Amino acid sequence: MRRSREDAARTRRRAVAAASRLFRERGIESVSLGDVMAKLKMTAGGFYRHFKSKEALAAEACALAFTSSGLGREAAGSPEAMLSSYLSKAHRDQPSDGCPLPALASDMARQPAAVRRAYTEGVREAVRRIREVAPAADPTVHLALLAGMVGALAISRAVNDEKLSEAVLRETRNFWIPKIEELEVPAPRRAGREAARGSRSARFE
């Protein structure tokens, strides 16, 4: 009996992890219960032995995505490190492993309350993470920065022009890093960073 309970718990964890990746890659509405169970090499009929509904699975999968990816994966050491990692081509090209904020945003308005609660708590946790990295900034800046990061990543994935996509990521980084560092970094050190960054930056045309 103990072994069967352990097996059931393991299967449930695998299902949540698989759903978390699929939802971020394809969207909650586009993923069926059969798609999730197929990842586990199980039939869709076995789903209800582990979950009451797709809503229950989606809420758990959303919560897992926030703790295991994006801003929740690890605390960045500086605003520049956070922005460089989040607004990167690697993050853009791996939505199934990335932050659920841009990946799931378009689905959320149509989701049941439990799923939206999980997403909302993820937004709050993301703001807390940003506050840890930039404690001197005003709370309104934390919110604006999060919105800028999420929006830039979503746009960079949506357009079909590689140069434009890269420019959205680059220029959002270049816009925000000096603004945050102005509050967080002593002036002499900040001046050196800005000079180095200015020599690398080029505007999209």
Side-chain angles (χ1 to χ4, degrees):
M1 179 66 74
R2 179 179 178 183
R3 180 59 181 272
S4 65
R5 287 198 299 267
E6 291 174 350
D7 287 344
R10 187 178 303 111
T11 299
R12 183 185 179 91
R13 289 193 298 270
R14 290 175 59 215
V16 172
S20 179
R21 289 175 57 85
L22 284 170
F23 290 156
R24 280 175 283 171
E25 180 180 359
R26 291 159 48 184
I28 295 174
E29 300 295 335
S30 299
V31 175
S32 69
L33 300 181
D35 293 331
V36 176
M37 299 310 283
K39 285 290 185 180
L40 279 60
K41 296 181 169 39
M42 296 174 63
T43 63
F47 174 84
Y48 292 99
R49 292 199 296 270
H50 303 282
F51 302 94
K52 292 182 179 180
S53 63
K54 183 180 179 181
E55 172 186 346
L57 172 63
E60 288 192 40
C62 185
L64 175 64
F66 278 110
T67 61
S68 63
S69 62
L71 293 172
R73 180 176 294 161
E74 59 185 20
S78 68
E80 183 171 7
M82 176 184 68
L83 282 152
S84 296
S85 175
Y86 195 92
L87 297 175
S88 65
K89 290 175 62 178
H91 193 189
R92 179 198 67 184
D93 295 342
Q94 293 293 329
S96 62
D97 293 321
C99 179
L101 286 172
L104 301 180
S106 62
D107 281 332
M108 277 303 130
R110 298 182 298 276
Q111 292 305 304
V115 184
R116 295 187 73 183
R117 280 196 298 271
Y119 188 89
T120 300
E121 183 53 39
V123 172
R124 293 192 178 104
E125 180 59 28
V127 174
R128 285 193 286 268
R129 291 285 188 177
I130 290 174
R131 185 166 62 240
E132 291 173 0
V133 174
D138 187 89
T140 58
V141 174
H142 297 148
L143 286 172
L145 175 56
L146 178 63
M149 292 167 63
V150 171
L153 190 59
I155 292 170
S156 74
R157 288 172 175 167
V159 299
N160 67 349
D161 181 320
E162 178 65 17
K163 286 184 67 177
L164 176 58
S165 177
E166 291 183 10
V168 169
L169 297 175
R170 181 183 65 249
E171 299 307 334
T172 304
R173 292 193 307 264
N174 290 347
F175 176 84
W176 276 107
I177 289 172
K179 289 186 179 300
I180 299 300
E181 288 187 341
E182 184 177 352
L183 299 173
E184 305 294 333
V185 180
R189 183 180 171 195
R190 183 169 65 248
R193 287 190 178 183
E194 290 175 350
R197 190 160 46 242
S199 65
R200 299 193 303 265
S201 178
R203 287 284 175 185
F204 173 77
E205 297 180 355

